[in-house]
């Protein structure tokens, strides 16, 4: 069979132009045709231009071959090849269909995936900048004006991002300028002596400066009063504020000033209040009205003004008194010399009275002159404790019926001050205490205590002069340091005024405290 098959293959090779199958595949197909015949009957089939007849006989395959003529052999092979191709394609129809459907589904899924991916990519390209802008807006609302959104040149929202960044830069510059102005304003408010309060339309204190806090703490003893109503300060403050407000409304003005007088710890105080109507209009609030209240403590100014007035009056009085005194004195002395030979008691008594009164008026003029022009400060090193001991020792010798006691702080060393003024101040205060104790009738053991105190962590020292006398009436306490104010009708009332001026010239202060019994003067001076 192998030799016969080879011979047949040699014949098939002659028609290779029409045969596009390989010889090996033709052999396999031919053997398949022969071996697939299992019946005892014969089988006839065409194969590449030849007609084959086969039959199995006793295990052998008998094959007869008839060669077609050359004229019909080539067309027959072509037809047979076409039939084989058709059969092959027909057998592959379902796989090709399935492959086509699978490819179509795969391409569809690929296109769908690409579409979804493109959609997400485009959406991300738009949503991500929007999300960044929203986050930046949240940060901007919290007050961070330096926030910047990343600028992507390929983003569809490039112009919006650039505009937002330019806006934040402008806001940062505006906020920086506003902060600078606010800082300057706060610096001004913190360092001015006047007290500033801002009160909203509901009567609550919204803000204030340090001077206002010190003022409230000094006179009302309150430290925390932010967002409190005016009534929180008490009935007197509320009534005074309402009076200012009613006057402001009645006069239909936006600015009003008034001087307020009151008594604090037995002393008269003066405040100047300035009220201004302020309009507020912010981005988040409607237009509201508030009050800007500026309070200035003018107690010292009023006292200084009164002292200046008294000095001018004293200078004028001293000038007017001195002019006629000398001629009166000279004329009286001349009369005494001319008529000294006359033994007339009335004449002598009258002329002596005139001379005594002239001397008294001259002393008054001298006091006026001294009060009108106090000597300049002469600063030098002084041992305050030593000065006090010397003066108190002199008074102990002169007034043995009064107990004098010195309680001196040994840590008070030499200080730079005017010794003469300190001596004059101590003498004035001790004289007043001695006069008060001698005039009292119900004091069994009169006593005067002079003490020095050096407060911790303060660049100052204190001198206190205290007695156990009858004290000072409340009606005199608030004006005791003014000129011509005295509880003694024979006294001119210039001593404490000179004391006050001397202490002020030395950069200190003096306060009066009523004790039970007696009174105490506390002098505070810088070291």
């Amino acid at each position: 069979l192998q030799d016969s098959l080879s011979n047949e293959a040699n014949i098939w090779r002659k028609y290779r132009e029409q045969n596009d199958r390989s010889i090996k595949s033709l052999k396999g197909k031919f053997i398949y045709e022969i071996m697939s015949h299992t019946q005892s009957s014969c089988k006839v089939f065409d194969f590449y231009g030849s007609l084959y007849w086969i039959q199995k006989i006793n295990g052998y395959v008998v094959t007869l071959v008839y060669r077609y003529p050359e004229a019909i052999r080539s067309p027959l092979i072509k037809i047979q090849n076409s039939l084989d191709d058709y059969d092959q394609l027909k057998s592959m129809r379902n796989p090709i269909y399935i492959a086509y459907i699978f490819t179509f589904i795969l391409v569809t899924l690929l296109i769908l995936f690409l579409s979804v991916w493109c959609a997400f990519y485009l959406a991300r390209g738009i949503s991500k900048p929007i999300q960044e802008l929203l986050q930046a807006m949240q940060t901007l609302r919290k007050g961070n004006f330096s926030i910047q959104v990343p600028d992507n040149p390929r983003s569809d929202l490039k112009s919006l991002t650039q505009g937002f960044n330019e806006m934040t830069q402008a806001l940062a510059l505006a906020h920086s300028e506003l902060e600078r102005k606010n800082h300057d304003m706060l610096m001004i408010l913190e360092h001015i002596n006047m007290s500033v309060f801002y009160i909203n339309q509901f009567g609550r204190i919204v803000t204030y400066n340090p001077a206002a806090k010190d003022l409230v703490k000094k006179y009302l003893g309150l430290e925390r009063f932010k967002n409190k109503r005016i009534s929180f300060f008490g009935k007197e403050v509320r009534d005074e504020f309402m009076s200012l407000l009613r006057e402001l409304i009645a006069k239909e003005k936006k600015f009003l000033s008034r001087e307020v007088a009151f008594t604090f710890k037995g002393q008269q105080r003066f405040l100047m209040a300035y009220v201004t109507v302020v309009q507020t209009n912010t981005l988040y609030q409607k237009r509201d009205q508030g009050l800007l209240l500026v309070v200035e403590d003018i107690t010292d100014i009023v006292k200084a003004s009164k002292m200046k007035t008294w000095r001018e009056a004293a200078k004028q009085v001293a000038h007017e008194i001195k002019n006629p005194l000398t001629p009166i004195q000279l004329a009286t002395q001349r009369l005494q010399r001319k008529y000294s030979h006359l033994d007339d008691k009335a004449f002598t008594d009258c002329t002596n009275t005139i001379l005594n009164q002239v001397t008294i008026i001259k002393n008054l003029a001298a006091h006026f002159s001294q009060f009108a022009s106090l000597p300049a400060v002469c600063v030098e090193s002084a041992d305050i404790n030593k000065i006090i001991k010397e003066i108190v020792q002199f008074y102990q010798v002169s007034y043995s019926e009064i107990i004098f006691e010195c309680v001196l702080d040994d840590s008070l060393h030499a200080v730079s001050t005017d010794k003469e003024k300190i001596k004059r101040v101590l003498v004035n205060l001790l004289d007043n205490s001695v006069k008060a104790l001698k005039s009292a009738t119900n004091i069994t053991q009169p006593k005067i205590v002079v003490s020095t105190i050096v407060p911790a962590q303060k660049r100052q020292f204190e001198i206190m002069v205290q007695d156990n006398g009858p004290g000072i009436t409340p009606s005199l306490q608030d004006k005791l340091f003014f000129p011509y104010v005295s509880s003694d009708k024979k006294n001119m009332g210039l001593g404490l005024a000179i004391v006050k001026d001397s202490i002020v010239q030395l950069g200190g202060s003096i306060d009066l405290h009523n004790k039970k019994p007696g009174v105490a003067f506390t002098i505070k001076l810088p070291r």
Side-chain angles (χ1 to χ4, degrees):
L1 178 61
Q2 182 66 31
D3 293 339
S4 300
L5 186 58
S6 298
N7 293 332
E8 289 297 318
N10 289 330
I11 295 172
W12 296 338
R13 286 192 181 94
K14 295 180 182 179
Y15 304 96
R16 286 297 298 272
E17 293 179 359
Q18 291 81 25
N19 181 16
D20 55 355
R21 275 69 175 170
S22 64
I23 298 301
K24 185 177 180 180
S25 64
L26 292 176
K27 286 182 179 180
K29 187 176 180 181
F30 183 76
I31 292 172
Y32 173 77
E33 290 289 343
I34 294 174
M35 298 305 295
S36 62
H37 181 65
T38 57
Q39 299 177 357
S40 58
S41 59
C42 63
K43 179 181 179 181
V44 180
F45 61 93
D46 290 327
F47 194 81
Y48 280 85
S50 300
L51 179 63
Y52 292 91
W53 177 88
I54 60 172
Q55 187 174 6
K56 288 183 179 181
I57 301 174
N58 296 325
Y60 293 97
V61 179
V62 178
T63 304
L64 296 178
V65 181
Y66 172 73
R67 311 291 182 193
Y68 288 113
E70 291 294 335
I72 63 173
R73 194 178 185 92
S74 294
L76 184 60
I77 291 174
K78 291 180 179 181
I79 293 172
Q80 192 171 6
N81 286 335
S82 298
L83 291 174
D84 290 339
D85 292 338
Y86 174 77
D87 292 337
Q88 186 177 2
L89 290 175
K90 185 177 180 181
S91 64
M92 294 175 62
R93 181 181 63 180
N94 291 334
I96 291 174
Y97 178 76
I98 293 172
Y100 173 77
I101 294 297
F102 179 77
T103 303
F104 176 77
I105 293 173
L106 182 63
V107 171
T108 303
L109 291 176
L110 180 61
I111 293 172
L112 182 62
F113 171 76
L114 290 176
S115 300
V116 173
W117 182 83
C118 290
F120 275 107
Y121 179 79
L122 294 175
R124 186 182 179 186
I126 297 175
S127 63
K128 184 179 179 181
I130 294 176
Q131 188 67 28
E132 291 175 348
L133 285 172
L134 291 176
Q135 293 177 355
M137 285 295 295
Q138 294 293 334
T139 306
L140 187 64
R141 291 184 62 183
K142 294 178 181 179
N144 184 7
F145 295 98
S146 61
I147 186 67
Q148 291 284 302
V149 178
D151 188 7
N152 186 2
R154 295 177 296 176
S155 175
D156 296 332
L157 302 177
K158 176 183 176 181
S159 299
L160 182 60
T161 302
Q162 291 177 349
F164 179 83
N165 292 335
E166 291 175 359
M167 180 193 71
T168 55
Q169 290 176 359
L171 285 175
L173 290 175
H175 183 263
S176 176
E177 182 67 17
L178 185 60
E179 285 289 329
R180 185 187 65 80
K181 291 182 179 179
N182 287 341
H183 180 265
D184 294 342
M185 183 61 67
L186 288 176
M187 289 293 292
I188 293 172
L189 290 176
E190 286 181 1
H191 291 87
I192 63 175
N193 294 326
M194 291 188 292
S195 305
V196 181
F197 302 85
Y198 177 69
I199 305 169
N200 64 11
Q201 59 179 344
F202 304 107
R204 295 186 181 274
I205 296 177
V206 179
T207 186
Y208 51 86
N209 66 339
K213 184 177 181 181
D214 295 339
L215 181 74
V216 173
K217 183 178 180 181
K218 177 181 178 181
Y219 289 116
L220 299 177
L222 300 174
E223 293 189 359
R224 295 186 178 181
F225 51 90
K226 190 173 184 179
N227 292 327
K228 299 293 185 181
R229 294 182 180 273
I230 292 295
S231 56
F232 177 73
F233 297 120
K235 183 177 183 299
E236 294 182 0
V237 176
R238 183 196 62 196
D239 293 345
E240 193 67 38
F241 176 77
M242 294 305 295
S243 175
L244 282 170
L245 191 59
R246 283 192 294 267
E247 185 177 350
L248 190 69
I249 296 173
K251 293 184 178 181
E252 297 181 352
K253 293 183 178 180
K254 292 189 176 182
F255 175 79
L256 180 67
S257 61
R258 180 198 287 183
E259 182 178 319
V260 179
F262 62 99
T263 302
F264 177 72
K265 292 183 179 180
Q267 296 186 8
Q268 192 172 16
R269 299 285 178 173
F270 300 92
L271 298 178
M272 180 61 75
Y274 305 91
V275 184
T276 306
V277 178
V278 179
Q279 299 285 350
T280 59
N281 188 14
T282 64
L283 189 62
Y284 304 104
Q285 297 178 351
K286 63 179 182 179
R287 191 174 182 88
D288 296 328
Q289 283 190 348
L291 291 178
L292 186 66
L293 178 62
V294 180
V295 180
E296 182 181 8
D297 192 343
I298 60 171
T299 302
D300 294 335
I301 297 175
V302 172
K303 290 182 178 180
S305 177
K306 290 183 179 180
M307 294 292 288
K308 184 178 180 181
T309 303
W310 283 114
R311 280 201 185 94
E312 292 296 330
K315 185 186 295 185
Q316 187 68 24
V317 169
H319 177 72
E320 295 296 333
I321 289 176
K322 284 181 180 179
N323 289 334
L325 286 180
T326 302
I328 293 173
Q329 184 181 8
L330 293 176
T332 305
Q333 290 173 349
R334 184 179 177 184
L335 287 173
Q336 284 183 339
R337 286 194 301 270
K338 184 175 181 179
Y339 299 103
S340 60
H341 61 281
L342 298 176
D343 190 11
D344 190 348
K345 187 176 182 301
F347 175 78
T348 304
D349 292 341
C350 289
T351 54
N352 286 335
T353 300
I354 292 172
L355 291 176
N356 291 335
Q357 294 301 319
V358 168
T359 302
I360 292 174
I361 295 174
K362 277 188 175 182
N363 291 334
L364 290 175
H367 279 86
F368 282 135
S369 298
Q370 183 183 10
F371 174 70
S373 56
L374 291 174
V377 177
C378 180
V379 178
E380 57 184 326
S381 179
D383 189 343
I384 301 299
N385 288 341
K386 183 178 179 181
I387 293 174
I388 292 174
K389 287 179 182 178
E390 292 176 355
I391 296 175
V392 171
Q393 187 177 4
F394 170 77
Y395 276 88
Q396 282 176 337
V397 175
S398 302
Y399 303 99
S400 58
E401 70 275 13
I402 301 176
I403 299 174
F404 289 88
E405 183 180 346
C406 291
V407 182
L408 305 178
D409 193 334
D410 295 334
S411 63
L412 179 60
H413 304 293
V415 297
S416 296
T417 187
D418 190 326
K419 290 194 292 187
E420 296 302 321
K421 286 187 179 294
I422 294 294
K423 290 179 180 180
R424 192 178 299 112
V425 167
L426 290 173
V427 168
N428 265 296
L429 294 178
L430 288 172
D431 281 344
N432 288 339
S433 295
V434 169
K435 290 178 182 178
L437 291 172
K438 291 181 71 175
S439 63
T441 58
N442 56 348
I443 300 176
T444 57
Q445 192 175 11
K447 183 178 180 180
I448 298 176
V449 180
V450 182
S451 58
T452 56
I453 304 170
V454 181
Q457 300 179 350
K458 287 188 178 181
R459 298 293 300 170
Q460 65 180 17
F461 66 94
E462 297 178 4
I463 302 174
M464 180 178 290
V465 179
Q466 182 177 354
D467 62 58
N468 60 347
I472 298 174
T473 59
S475 60
L476 292 177
Q477 287 184 21
D478 58 341
K479 52 185 177 180
L480 189 63
F481 293 105
F482 287 126
Y484 315 114
V485 177
S486 176
S487 58
D488 187 359
K489 294 182 180 180
K490 297 181 180 180
N491 195 349
M492 293 176 57
L494 290 175
L496 289 179
I498 294 174
V499 167
K500 174 77 172 181
D501 280 353
S502 299
I503 295 300
V504 171
Q505 280 186 327
L506 294 176
S509 63
I510 182 169
D511 294 314
L512 168 65
H513 306 282
N514 251 335
K515 302 290 184 178
K516 292 184 179 180
V519 70
F521 290 91
T522 302
I523 301 170
K524 296 180 181 179
L525 291 169
R527 285 196 284 173

